[in-house]
Amino acid sequence: MRVGGTPYRTLWAEGRVVRAIDQNRLPFDFVVVEWRTLEDAAAAIRTMQVRGAPLIGAAAAYGMALGVAEDPSARGLVRARERLLQTRPTAVNLRWALDRVAERVGPLPEAARAEAAFRVAAELCDEDVAVNRALGEHAGGILRRLAREKGTRAGTGRGGAPPLNVLTHCNAGWLATVDLGTATAGIYLAHDQGLPLHVWVDETRPRGQGARLTAWELASHGVPHTVVTDTTAPHLLARGAVDVVLVGTDRTTATGDVANKIGTYGVALAARDNGVPFYVAAPSSSIDFALSDGREIPIEERAPDEVAWVSGRTAAGEIAAVRVLPEDSPTLNVAFDVTPARLVTGIVTERGVAPASREGLAALFPERAG
């Protein structure tokens, strides 16, 4: 994607230095940071300098490469993997990427491991972009079909086709991946192909990934959008202002249960109650075929300060953090919830759209479901 006319990925390597967009500085400052050590990568994932399931996987792969460069021994491999596994427990892409690097470099002589690890990480990033493009084509097909149906119901009229209204929650855009995004890939491709659409962007408390990241992305790409509070989404769904909900996922079970940013479950309930299709964009790397029940997915709890404090730009132009809770009020900061498969209209993958069921996912990925 382009930032100020310059094409960027969210993550890349130059030699043995990894560079990444610092998402904690957006939308006010566009900053590229450097990682030179395993601990740099681990801290970046833990503090959500990089976030989003596919990008967490790519970042973990480069973290492994940095760790192997520091210590290419078998002990060093184990240490790097264990350190990175501790950073974000919910996204299955993290473990998937670490295992892939370890499997590829473990059998090699120690002297060859670092170079191979960086090569595997780069391959994983290229694959992520290809997967997202394929996923985006399938999601774009859904959007075009729904737009045709909406146009047929409304009639073309003198004003042309009405825009398709898409609701998102959290950020499943190019900032959550290496490029293009998962849920937003279809939006970008459809927009670029001339489909009239408008995106309702849930702000996504407490970290505001929708308000800070999705909105920044869409504005940069020229996609019409409106930011709303999370609690506005059910109202919009009830009033007929939403034609389709499209979200991402951090982990999807073999039976189609979906873990995504906290608040997704409530959106899915409201969508079902109002007859609005609810689709999940899920690259295969985020599908955990070892799990059958969403209640088994580990749910991350994050620091209370994320709820108690908010940051933003003051009228004077400074970036400041302010406390919004009473000093004595405790908080519970649950990062994800699980939407059961029965509320999911379909799961969009790089191989097509599957029903949210064991049979549906297995039909697309028989080699993994067995």
Side-chain angles (χ1 to χ4, degrees), residues 166-167 198-203 215 218 223-228 236:
V166 184
L167 175 71
H198 166 267
V199 183
W200 295 109
V201 181
D202 276 1
E203 63 174 349
L218 295 173
V223 179
H225 65 283
T226 305
V227 178
V228 296
L236 294 172

Side-chain angles (χ1 to χ4, degrees), residues 28-29 311-322:
F28 307 115
D29 296 307
S311 63
R313 174 171 283 167
T314 68
E318 299 178 348
I319 307 300
V322 296

Side-chain angles (χ1 to χ4, degrees), residues 9-319:
R9 286 185 171 185
T10 52
L11 182 76
W12 68 96
E14 297 176 7
R16 294 191 178 182
V17 177
V18 180
R19 302 186 189 279
I21 297 171
D22 185 349
Q23 298 186 31
N24 287 331
R25 303 286 292 273
L26 292 173
F28 307 115
D29 296 307
F30 181 78
V31 176
V32 175
V33 294
E34 294 183 354
W35 307 342
R36 295 178 179 271
T37 67
L38 166 65
E39 193 54 40
D40 288 343
I45 297 170
R46 179 179 54 78
T47 63
M48 297 177 69
Q49 189 181 76
V50 292
R51 26 71 51 211
L55 185 56
I56 287 173
Y62 271 123
M64 276 286 283
L66 291 168
V68 172
E70 293 173 16
D71 182 359
S73 68
R75 181 177 180 181
L77 274 172
V78 172
R79 172 179 171 272
R81 182 180 181 278
E82 292 302 315
R83 176 67 186 93
L84 291 160
L85 272 176
Q86 297 170 5
T87 55
R88 300 291 305 277
T90 300
V92 71
N93 303 63
L94 176 70
R95 186 186 67 216
W96 169 80
L98 295 175
D99 289 346
R100 178 165 169 177
V101 176
E103 289 168 3
R104 288 277 296 275
V105 307
L108 301 176
E110 287 189 9
R113 286 176 176 169
E115 181 180 352
F118 275 97
R119 186 166 58 249
V120 173
E123 291 172 2
L124 191 150
C125 288
D126 289 341
E127 289 173 12
D128 180 68
V129 178
V131 164
N132 294 339
R133 182 166 294 279
L135 190 155
E137 291 290 352
H138 294 298
I142 293 172
L143 299 181
R144 288 188 291 272
R145 172 179 59 79
L146 292 173
R148 287 194 302 270
E149 294 173 358
K150 182 176 183 178
T152 299
R153 291 193 301 271
T156 54
R158 297 178 61 183
L164 187 74
N165 287 297
V166 184
L167 175 71
T168 68
H169 188 77
C170 195
N171 174 260
W174 74 273
L175 289 168
T177 66
V178 177
D179 205 351
L180 282 178
T182 56
T184 59
I187 293 172
Y188 289 132
L189 293 177
H191 169 78
D192 290 348
Q193 293 164 359
L195 182 73
L197 52 79
H198 166 267
V199 183
W200 295 109
V201 181
D202 276 1
E203 63 174 349
T204 323
R205 280 281 290 154
R207 292 187 64 92
Q209 292 96 328
R212 293 191 305 107
L213 304 179
T214 304
W216 180 81
E217 281 189 32
L218 295 173
S220 297
H221 203 71
V223 179
H225 65 283
T226 305
V227 178
V228 296
T229 63
D230 295 351
T231 48
T232 301
H235 169 77
L236 294 172
L237 286 156
R239 295 293 292 268
V242 179
D243 299 305
V244 59
V245 179
L246 185 55
V247 301
T249 176
D250 286 79
R251 187 182 302 205
T252 296
T253 69
T255 55
D257 295 338
V258 175
N260 193 48
K261 188 56 57 183
I262 190 73
T264 304
Y265 177 40
V267 172
L269 286 169
R272 172 57 62 90
D273 192 48
N274 291 282
V276 176
F278 180 96
Y279 286 96
V280 176
S284 58
S285 59
S286 65
I287 302 173
D288 189 347
F289 283 96
L291 284 185
S292 297
D293 190 332
R295 291 172 294 185
E296 299 172 0
I297 297 175
I299 299 299
E300 177 183 1
E301 291 188 19
R302 296 186 57 81
D305 282 354
E306 292 182 351
V307 177
W309 294 77
V310 296
S311 63
R313 174 171 283 167
T314 68
E318 299 178 348
I319 307 300

